[in-house]
């Protein structure tokens, strides 16, 4: 049982890292960014390519995250920015195309077989008489640290404040004459970096496969819906809550654990009538 | 302005539908084109094209006409394939009954799921549908593997209708062709009716329609059920066509084919849907021989279309013809 709880916390941590960028894009611009999934998947494969050369987990992580930044900038600048304020479905189709293309690119370069990455530390800790890998504990700590760092960012910096205001009332921010899009591309890149970090530190636990981007976009979407749109603290709690749901279902029915997330999401959609789900 | 344009369109469409010879001529033209094409491309291939055409038509109703993008349409297509196969295997091998069972199953599922999802709109609608599609896929591919054959799929057995073997080719080709024409006719009728005008109005301004006192939920739900039933219809035909089904028919990843076909032809236009569907299949069948990374090309094309080429082929042609005749605004 304790093992499952710890597993749930680990997944929750990953879900939080991966979905925060998605949640911001969805909350401010009402844009479903499927390309978030391609950033996630590409970063894991880049990491796998870099790792044998540097032989150091952290260094490889930093290099692949740095490599992913220009790509996420290009996606934001040339695909998402022209579609701000446009009908929702064009952005969806365009980023869906990006995800589709990158998935095929991954299949082309690295093949379709799932790839395994070895865990950097094999140390296990004794928590309540249960063996718990240190690596998972690190993941949880990273997520909590990111949560507090983001909170600080959103409270103390101008960019953060503008984004928080835009999450609440995008039109109001525009009326004040603030060019929110400029700040927005910064936050887009931060979100992409977090997705890349989340993807990479999760990759030793699961195997990497070309279609994982699709799955994680959906999970990120579920986290955003359950947490409440534009509610960044809510996203934190809902990520850990859904992580628990996955872990608890996995005890009984491992194959369908991720499906339960969508059941929870459907229930939340039914119960809570948000003013406008567009 | 939008509403005015819409009213004009409705008026125009109504006169169009009143002159029933015109729709008859259109049906005959489509039939002749598909039959002519079958001489060049072969009947089996054209049958594939036409089945895909029905699926694209059903998608066009929900995306092109109602303006609701969904990434979960394959759920109903897949429901059609699996229900028809299981019905023919367990109850009666008659393919006509199997088709009806598949359509009913698709419509029933759409009524249940739809009453939940049509409360949402925009991006949420698209992704909630995708989530349901994933749930369906997991159920069919893993949870109910004993019945559905799991990831390997299963063979479907199609019996005869009395002494007639529907699956034999000249007959099967004409049967699918008539199915396509029937779907086309139905969609044409629906979109030209007052109901269809309402659905188009929802696309342009849902809040306004709500203000005017119409029950938007009802219109959206009925459209959703009709589109899903039509998709299930295409699914049942697929079962009989290939004699083999796999969870692939339920995979949400295949939905992108429908979006692509719809956009390239021109969404919100029945001819566009047919043109796009045929064009997509031709590209898939022939281009994929020469271009190894077919999905990569498709993804990039999707990006380009949604940024630069939104009206699709039909819109593009219309604009050019209008410009040439000088009536373009």
């Amino acid at each position: 049982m304790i093992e499952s709880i710890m597993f749930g916390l680990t997944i929750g941590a990953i879900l939080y890292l991966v979905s925060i960028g998605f949640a911001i894009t969805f909350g401010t611009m009402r844009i479903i960014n499927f390309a978030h999934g391609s950033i996630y998947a590409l970063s894991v494969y880049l990491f796998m390519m870099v790792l044998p050369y540097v032989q150091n987990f952290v260094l490889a992580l930093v290099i692949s995250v740095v490599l992913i930044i220009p790509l996420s900038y290009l996606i934001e600048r040339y695909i998402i920015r022209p579609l701000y304020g446009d009908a929702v479905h064009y952005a969806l189709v365009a980023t869906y195309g990006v995800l589709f293309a990158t998935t095929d690119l991954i299949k082309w370069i690295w093949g379709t077989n799932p790839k395994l990455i070895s865990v950097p530390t094999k140390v296990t800790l004794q928590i309540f008489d249960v063996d718990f890998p240190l690596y998972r504990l690190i993941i949880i700590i990273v997520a909590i640290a990111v949560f507090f760092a983001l909170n600080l960012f959103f409270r103390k910096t101008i960019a953060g404040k503008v984004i928080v205001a835009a999450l609440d009332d995008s039109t109001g921010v525009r009326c004040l004459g603030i060019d929110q899009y400029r700040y927005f591309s910064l936050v887009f890149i931060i979100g992409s970096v977090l997705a890349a970090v989340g993807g990479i530190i999760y990759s030793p636990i699961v195997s990497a496969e070309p279609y994982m981007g699709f799955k994680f976009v959906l999970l990120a979407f579920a986290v955003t819906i359950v947490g409440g749109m534009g509610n960044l603290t809510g996203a934190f709690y809902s990520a850990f809550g859904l992580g628990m749901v996955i872990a608890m279902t996995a005890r009984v029915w491992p194959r369908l654990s991720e499906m339960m997330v969508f059941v929870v999401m459907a229930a939340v959609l039914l119960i809570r009538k948000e003013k406008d789900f567009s | 302005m939008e509403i005015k344009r819409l009213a004009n369109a409705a008026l125009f469409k109504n006169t169009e539908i009143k002159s029933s010879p015109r729709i008859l001529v259109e049906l005959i033209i489509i039939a002749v084109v598909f039959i002519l094409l079958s001489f060049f491309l072969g009947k089996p291939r054209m049958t594939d094209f036409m089945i895909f055409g029905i699926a694209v038509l059903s998608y066009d109703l929900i995306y092109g006409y109602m303006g609701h993008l969904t990434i979960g349409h394959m759920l109903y297509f897949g429901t059609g394939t699996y229900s028809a196969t299981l019905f023919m295997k367990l109850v009666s091998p008659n393919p006509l009954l199997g088709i009806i069972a598949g359509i009913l199953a698709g419509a029933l599922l759409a009524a249940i799921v739809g009453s939940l999802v049509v409360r949402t709109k925009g991006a949420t609608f698209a992704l909630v549908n995708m989530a349901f599609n994933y749930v369906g896929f997991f159920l069919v591919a893993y949870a109910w593997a004993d019945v559905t054959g799991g990831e390997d799929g299963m063979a479907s057995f199609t019996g005869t209708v009395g002494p007639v073997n529907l699956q034999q080719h000249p007959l099967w080709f004409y049967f699918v062709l008539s199915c396509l024409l029937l779907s086309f006719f139905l969609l044409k009728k629906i979109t030209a009716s007052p109901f269809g005008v309402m659905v188009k109005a929802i696309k342009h301004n849902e809040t306004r329609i709500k203000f005017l006192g119409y029950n938007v939920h009802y219109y959206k739900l009925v459209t959703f059920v009709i589109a899903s039933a039509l998709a299930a219809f295409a699914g049942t035909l697929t079962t009989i066509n290939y004699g083999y089904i796999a969870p692939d028919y339920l995979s949400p990843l295949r939905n992108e084919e429908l979006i692509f076909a719809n956009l390239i032809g021109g969404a919100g236009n029945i001819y566009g849907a047919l043109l796009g569907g045929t064009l997509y299949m031709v590209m898939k069948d022939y281009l994929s021989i020469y271009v190894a990374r077919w999905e990569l090309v498709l993804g990039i094309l999707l990006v380009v279309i949604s940024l630069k080429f939104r009206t699709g082929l039909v819109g593009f042609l219309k604009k050019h013809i209008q410009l040439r005749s000088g009536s373009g605004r």
Side-chain angles (χ1 to χ4, degrees), chain B residues 166-179:
Chain B
L166 200 62
Q167 249 179 327
Q168 219 129 42
H169 234 297
L171 179 64
W172 176 236
F173 172 80
Y174 290 108
F175 180 75
V176 175
L177 180 63
S178 48
C179 288

Side-chain angles (χ1 to χ4, degrees), chain B residues 26 30 57 59 171 251 256 299:
Chain B
E26 278 172 2
I30 291 169
L57 279 178
Y59 192 76
L171 179 64
S251 167
E256 138 288 342

Side-chain angles (χ1 to χ4, degrees), chain A residues 32 86 101 104 107 218 277, chain B residues 121 124 134 295-296 310:
Chain A
I32 294 280
D86 216 327
D104 201 51
K107 284 200 286 188
L218 269 181
F277 273 123
Chain B
K121 62 181 184 185
T124 315
Y134 257 102
E295 290 180 346
L296 184 67
R310 291 182 178 178

Side-chain angles (χ1 to χ4, degrees), chain A residues 14 18 35-45 68 192 195-196 198-200 202-203 206 212-213 216:
Chain A
I14 297 296
V18 171
H36 206 68
S38 54
I39 299 273
Y40 171 87
L42 265 182
S43 64
V44 172
Y45 275 90
I68 218 75
S192 300
I200 291 168
Y202 194 42
S203 60
V206 290
M212 62 190 172
F216 261 88

Side-chain angles (χ1 to χ4, degrees), chain A residues 22 26 30 32 34 78-79 82-83 86 88-98 100-102 104-105 107-108 211 214-215 217-218 221 225 229 253 255-256 258-259 262-263 265-266 269-270 273 276-278, chain B residues 63 67 69 71 115-116 119-128 130-132 134-136 138-139 142-143 151 203 252-256 259 263 292-300 302-303 305-307 310-311:
Chain A
F22 183 88
F26 192 29
R30 298 288 185 275
I32 294 280
F34 265 100
Y78 291 104
I79 294 167
L83 294 164
D86 216 327
V88 173
H89 51 262
Y90 288 121
L92 217 159
V93 172
T95 53
Y96 189 55
V98 172
F100 217 75
T102 45
D104 201 51
L105 197 69
K107 284 200 286 188
W108 188 12
Y211 284 102
F214 283 94
K215 207 172 68 187
V217 166
L218 269 181
F221 173 72
I225 289 291
M229 261 179 20
W253 223 8
R255 292 214 105 144
L256 301 180
E258 269 144 22
M259 205 185 86
F262 303 128
V263 175
M265 183 186 77
L269 273 176
L270 255 183
K273 280 193 181 135
D276 188 3
F277 273 123
S278 64
Chain B
Y63 174 50
L69 181 75
I71 317 182
S115 58
L116 210 155
R119 292 153 172 256
T120 62
K121 62 181 184 185
T124 315
F125 182 80
L127 281 187
V128 169
M130 191 178 183
F132 272 107
Y134 257 102
V135 172
F138 273 119
L139 287 177
Y142 304 117
E151 283 177 288
K203 174 183 181 176
L253 298 175
R254 289 194 63 173
N255 202 74
E256 138 288 342
I259 300 178
L263 277 172
R293 301 321 305 186
W294 161 242
E295 290 180 346
L296 184 67
V297 175
L298 203 63
I300 294 168
L302 267 180
V303 176
I305 288 173
S306 53
L307 286 172
R310 291 182 178 178
T311 47

Side-chain angles (χ1 to χ4, degrees), chain A residues 100 104, chain B residues 256-257 260 279-285 287-289 291-301:
Chain A
F100 217 75
D104 201 51
Chain B
E256 138 288 342
E257 297 180 0
F260 183 81
L279 199 70
Y280 171 79
M281 285 303 263
V282 170
M283 280 166 75
K284 189 183 167 189
D285 273 19
L287 209 65
S288 59
I289 299 171
V291 184
R293 301 321 305 186
W294 161 242
E295 290 180 346
L296 184 67
V297 175
L298 203 63
I300 294 168
L301 275 176

Side-chain angles (χ1 to χ4, degrees), chain A:
Chain A
M1 188 66 192
I2 292 168
E3 221 166 24
S4 281
I5 290 175
M6 289 313 241
F7 180 54
L9 287 177
T10 316
I11 296 181
I14 297 296
L15 280 180
Y16 175 68
L17 288 177
V18 171
S19 55
I20 191 72
F22 183 88
I24 295 171
T25 325
F26 192 29
T28 45
M29 301 302 155
R30 298 288 185 275
I31 280 181
I32 294 280
N33 180 18
F34 265 100
H36 206 68
S38 54
I39 299 273
Y40 171 87
L42 265 182
S43 64
V44 172
Y45 275 90
L46 278 177
F47 172 75
M48 266 174 14
M49 201 175 65
V50 174
L51 191 61
Y53 293 105
V54 294
Q55 292 296 341
N56 181 332
F57 193 89
V58 179
L59 190 64
L61 190 149
V62 171
I63 291 173
S64 40
V65 166
V66 168
L67 285 176
I68 218 75
I69 288 175
L71 186 81
S72 72
Y73 176 75
L74 286 179
I75 290 175
E76 200 271 342
R77 179 70 189 77
Y78 291 104
I79 294 167
I80 295 184
R81 202 180 292 181
L83 294 164
Y84 283 154
D86 216 327
V88 173
H89 51 262
Y90 288 121
L92 217 159
V93 172
T95 53
Y96 189 55
V98 172
L99 179 54
F100 217 75
T102 45
T103 303
D104 201 51
L105 197 69
I106 288 171
K107 284 200 286 188
W108 188 12
I109 301 174
W110 287 286
T112 46
N113 291 332
K115 297 234 189 302
L116 293 169
I117 297 166
S118 60
V119 182
T121 66
K122 297 255 175 7
V123 182
T124 52
L125 300 176
Q126 288 272 325
I127 303 171
F128 305 118
D129 298 335
V130 179
D131 282 337
F132 192 72
L134 175 68
Y135 183 68
R136 296 193 175 189
L137 198 65
I138 293 174
I139 292 179
I140 297 169
I141 292 168
V142 166
I144 293 171
V146 164
F147 174 68
F148 283 109
L150 274 182
N151 260 340
L152 217 62
F153 170 75
F154 284 121
R155 292 225 181 95
K156 299 290 175 198
T157 62
I158 290 291
K161 282 176 183 169
V162 170
I163 294 298
V164 169
L167 275 169
D168 198 37
D169 186 354
S170 177
T171 327
V173 173
R174 236 176 319 175
C175 288
L176 290 172
I178 296 170
D179 181 12
Q180 53 180 344
Y181 297 142
R182 205 158 50 101
Y183 296 105
F184 184 64
S185 42
L186 173 72
V187 175
F188 188 89
I189 290 170
I190 292 176
S192 300
V193 165
L194 288 178
V197 171
I200 291 168
I201 61 178
Y202 194 42
S203 60
I205 297 177
V206 290
S207 52
E209 45 111 5
Y211 284 102
M212 62 190 172
F214 283 94
K215 207 172 68 187
F216 261 88
V217 166
L218 269 181
L219 287 176
F221 173 72
V223 168
T224 312
I225 289 291
V226 173
M229 261 179 20
N231 184 349
L232 298 178
T233 317
F236 181 75
Y237 294 124
S238 86
F240 277 96
L242 289 178
M244 278 301 167
V245 168
I246 291 179
M248 290 304 148
T249 322
R251 277 171 69 88
V252 205
W253 223 8
R255 292 214 105 144
L256 301 180
S257 55
E258 269 144 22
M259 205 185 86
M260 272 312 284
V261 172
F262 303 128
V263 175
V264 172
M265 183 186 77
V268 167
L269 273 176
L270 255 183
I271 295 162
R272 188 179 58 207
K273 280 193 181 135
E274 203 118 349
K275 50 188 173 184
D276 188 3
F277 273 123
S278 64

